[in-house]
Amino acid sequence: QDIPYMENIEQNYDVIGIVTINTERRQRVTDVLSKMKREAAILGGDAFTDLKTDATGIWKRLPAQHMIGNAYVRANFTCSVVVFK
């Protein structure tokens, strides 16, 4: 099932869960989003939104693709899984 990531949701929805993915330095954002889609589907979500990371310092200021691709740190990414009303 293809669960989309939606940066902005303009229709009514309920949050049914939070997904957290712990990333390694070799993972790319596309890999993280793919894992989030899988978890959102398992929860029965229609979409996921509100992507956040706990990266700190310089890693937080870098675009996510660069941070995960070459960083020597681990970071958690979280998102909200939603169902539409």
Side-chain angles (χ1 to χ4, degrees):
Q1 190 174 18
D2 193 26
I3 308 292
Y5 171 70
M6 301 179 76
E7 192 168 330
N8 298 307
I9 301 177
E10 296 180 9
Q11 62 192 82
N12 293 333
Y13 64 89
D14 289 322
V15 175
I16 61 167
I18 304 293
V19 171
T20 301
I21 302 294
N22 184 269
T23 62
E24 297 176 355
R25 69 183 182 95
R26 293 188 179 114
Q27 289 182 317
R28 300 193 186 285
V29 169
T30 54
D31 297 331
V32 173
L33 292 177
S34 176
K35 290 179 182 181
M36 287 184 167
K37 283 182 183 187
R38 181 179 183 278
E39 296 298 322
I42 289 170
L43 291 173
D46 293 324
F48 61 103
T49 189
D50 196 24
L51 183 64
K52 296 179 184 174
T53 183
D54 68 354
T56 58
I58 189 170
W59 301 114
K60 187 168 185 152
R61 292 191 300 270
L62 294 174
Q65 299 89 321
H66 296 123
M67 177 185 70
I68 296 175
N70 298 310
Y72 289 97
V73 296
R74 294 182 68 88
N76 289 321
F77 279 79
T78 60
C79 70
S80 299
V81 180
V82 301
V83 291
F84 300 122
K85 293 183 178 181

